Amino acid sequence: MSAASALTTKQLQQKLSSEKKSEHPVLLLFEIPSTRVVENQLSKYVVYEVVVMLSGSFDSSRVSVERRYSDFLRLQRLLLEEFDSTLEDVSPPPKLLSGNFCAAVLLQRRLALQDYLAKLFSTRCVRHSPLFAAFFTDAEQRGALVLLRGGQFSLALRQLEDVLALQEKLQCWQSPALRLPTLCALAVCHCDLQQHQEALDAAQRALPVARRCGLRSHRAALLRLLMDLSYRLGLPGARLQDELQGLQDQPPTLKYDPPTLKELVIQQFT
C-alpha cells in the first residue's frame, strides 16, 4: 500500500490544502466597493467602504470598515514619518478643491484609493508595520472600548468580533500581540454577559499570546479569569493555579493587588 493510499480522506485534504498554500502564498486584497456622503450642519464629506480579503483561499468572512479621505492622508503622514524615502513613489490621490461629490469623481477616487492600499501592502516594511494594521482596526477597537466602558457589552462584542476578523487577516504580517487586546476585551464582554463558555474560549486563545510576548500582567489576569471560569463550568483548574503561582514567584514580584483583565483592557486605550 502506498503512503498516499494509507492517508485518510481528511488527512489527504489537509495535505493538498497545505501544498496549495505553499504554492500560492496568501496575500491581502483590498476593495472599495461603495461610498456614502455624510452631511450635517457643519460639514459634508465622503465615507469609503474598505473591504479586506484574503487571496489564495475562500474567504468567507467579509469584513469592512469605513474611512474618510482624511484617514488615508493621516496614514500616509504617519508612514512617511516612519519610513520616509521608502514611500516616495506611493501616495494617495491628491486632494480635490471641487467636484468631490460627483459620481464620476467618486468612482475614480475609489479605484485610486484601492490601488494605494495595494501598493502599500506590496511594500514589505509597510505591511509589517503596526501603523498599517491600525488603519483598519484602531477606530473600531476604540469605539468598542467606549461601548464596553459604558456597559453596552453586546454592542461592544459585535464590534470586537469584526475587529478580530480583520486582525486575523492581517496576522501573517504582524506581531502575535496584535490580537491580544481584542481577545481580552472579548473575554471581558462575554463575562459581563454571563456567557462563560465563550469567555473561556476567548481567554484560552489570548493566554498563549500573552505567554509568547512575555506580558506578565496580562498572563496573570488571564490565568485568574480562567481559574474562575473553570470553577463555574466545572472544569479542572489545578494547572492554571500552578502556572499562576509560578508566575507570582518569579522576580520581580507581581503586585499584591494586580489589575483585573477588565482594568488592563481599559488601560490599553487610555
Side-chain angles (χ1 to χ4, degrees):
M1 181 182 292
S2 67
S5 61
L7 294 174
T8 66
T9 301
K10 184 176 181 180
Q11 289 172 328
L12 188 57
Q13 288 174 338
Q14 290 173 340
K15 182 174 183 293
L16 291 173
S17 176
S18 177
E19 290 174 353
K20 186 176 180 181
K21 286 181 180 178
S22 65
E23 293 172 5
H24 304 285
V26 175
L27 300 173
L28 278 183
L29 302 176
F30 307 96
E31 181 183 4
I32 303 181
S34 65
T35 60
R36 64 185 180 91
V37 177
V38 177
E39 187 171 8
N40 53 45
Q41 291 181 339
L42 299 176
S43 63
K44 181 179 180 181
Y45 56 88
V46 178
V47 172
Y48 298 85
E49 181 192 16
V50 182
V51 179
V52 182
M53 300 169 289
L54 289 174
S55 71
S57 62
F58 178 68
D59 191 350
S60 59
S61 59
R62 185 186 187 280
V63 186
S64 65
V65 294
E66 289 189 327
R67 294 293 180 265
R68 296 176 59 174
Y69 175 72
S70 58
D71 295 320
F72 289 90
L73 290 184
R74 180 175 180 274
L75 173 63
Q76 179 72 3
R77 176 176 57 80
L78 292 173
L79 290 173
L80 285 174
E81 290 174 0
E82 186 79 17
F83 303 113
D84 195 17
S85 59
T86 306
L87 296 176
E88 60 184 11
D89 296 326
V90 182
S91 63
K95 190 172 184 178
L96 299 175
L97 297 178
S98 62
N100 290 334
F101 308 106
C102 169
V105 171
L106 288 176
L107 173 60
Q108 185 179 32
R109 177 145 291 196
R110 279 199 294 115
L111 296 175
L113 289 172
Q114 194 171 286
D115 184 57
Y116 168 65
L117 290 176
K119 287 179 179 177
L120 286 180
F121 179 76
S122 69
T123 307
R124 187 179 187 281
C125 60
V126 173
R127 67 175 174 266
H128 288 276
S129 169
L131 294 172
F132 188 65
F135 173 77
F136 298 99
T137 61
D138 196 52
E140 285 70 23
Q141 201 166 33
R142 290 180 181 276
L145 180 65
V146 171
L147 293 170
L148 187 154
R149 294 178 71 175
Q152 300 182 66
F153 301 111
S154 295
L155 292 175
L157 198 60
R158 288 198 290 271
Q159 201 154 311
L160 287 166
E161 286 169 347
D162 285 344
V163 170
L164 184 63
L166 279 167
Q167 289 174 335
E168 288 178 337
K169 293 175 191 289
L170 293 158
Q171 68 181 347
C172 290
W173 304 277
Q174 296 291 322
S175 162
L178 174 68
R179 296 176 301 148
L180 183 62
T182 309
L183 288 169
C184 290
L186 282 167
V188 168
C189 286
H190 283 304
C191 275
D192 280 290
L193 291 169
Q194 301 297 306
Q195 298 170 349
H196 297 139
Q197 183 59 57
E198 291 83 354
L200 183 81
D201 293 342
Q204 284 178 332
R205 292 179 66 188
L207 182 58
V209 181
R211 288 179 184 137
R212 196 182 323 159
C213 297
L215 299 171
R216 292 184 70 202
S217 294
H218 282 78
R219 185 178 167 191
L222 284 163
L223 286 167
R224 285 193 296 274
L225 178 63
L226 283 167
M227 287 168 55
D228 178 65
L229 291 169
S230 296
Y231 174 78
R232 291 173 183 272
L233 293 168
L235 300 172
R239 293 179 64 180
L240 297 168
Q241 176 66 53
D242 290 343
E243 182 177 347
L244 180 60
Q245 187 60 54
L247 190 64
Q248 291 173 334
D249 291 342
Q250 294 175 11
T253 306
L254 291 172
K255 293 189 295 184
Y256 176 73
D257 187 23
T260 65
L261 191 63
K262 179 183 277 191
E263 289 169 341
L264 288 173
V265 167
I266 291 173
Q267 289 171 12
Q268 189 84 26
F269 294 102
T270 54

